[in-house]
């Protein structure tokens, strides 16, 4: 399977909602471990983020280094090409909190 995983508010915590102080975003080790396990099982993990979409700043190196420092394993990384939206409507979309709640129910 191919997983596309948002970075902020999914595998990195924000100091406050909507934070663009990316150096203050902290990894969520248990979530990164979850996707690392999927990667190790042969799934493709693509991280993506809207960092820089509105500012025009290139956050690729910062984001890649943050993921690597957090021990994240991944197939690819896309920075700044994710649409900047408030609501995503898609037949395959799952909100991060709902996804991890489903995982908890599966493992119990």
């Amino acid at each position: 399977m191919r997983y596309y995983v948002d970075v902020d508010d999914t595998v990195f915590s924000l100091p406050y909602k909507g934070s663009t102080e990316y150096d203050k975003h902290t990894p969520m080790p248990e979530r990164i471990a979850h996707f690392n396990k999927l990667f190790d099982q042969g799934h493709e993990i693509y991280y993506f983020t809207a960092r820089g979409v509105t500012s025009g700043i290139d956050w690729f190196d910062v984001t890649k280094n943050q993921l690597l420092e957090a021990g994240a394993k991944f197939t690819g990384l896309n920075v700044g090409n994710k649409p900047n939206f408030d609501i995503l409507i898609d037949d395959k979309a799952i909100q991060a909190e709902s996804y991890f709640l489903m995982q908890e129910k599966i493992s119990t």
Side-chain angles (χ1 to χ4, degrees), residues 1-101:
M1 289 187 78
R2 235 179 269 143
Y3 290 81
Y4 277 76
V5 182
D6 186 28
V7 173
D8 299 313
D9 260 352
T10 302
V11 295
F12 277 81
S13 295
L14 283 61
Y16 57 88
K17 188 73 177 162
S19 168
T20 58
E21 298 176 80
Y22 301 120
D23 60 325
K24 294 182 181 172
H25 294 197
T26 56
M28 303 165 121
E30 68 287 349
R31 291 186 176 189
I32 291 170
H34 171 81
F35 291 112
N36 283 351
K37 182 178 177 183
L38 290 173
F39 181 89
D40 290 341
Q41 293 171 348
H43 300 281
E44 296 177 17
I45 307 298
Y46 295 89
Y47 285 107
F48 71 108
T49 179
R51 291 177 176 188
V53 167
T54 56
S55 69
I57 297 170
D58 182 359
W59 291 103
F60 184 87
D61 290 337
V62 169
T63 306
K64 181 179 178 183
N65 289 336
Q66 284 178 311
L67 286 166
L68 292 173
E69 287 173 14
K73 300 175 183 180
F74 51 95
T75 309
L77 172 62
N78 189 324
V79 177
N81 292 318
K82 174 186 169 192
N84 183 20
F85 56 82
D86 294 307
I87 297 174
L88 171 65
I89 301 170
D90 186 287
D91 64 321
K92 295 182 181 180
I94 300 175
Q95 197 267 347
E97 295 304 318
S98 297
Y99 176 82
F100 286 103
L101 284 173

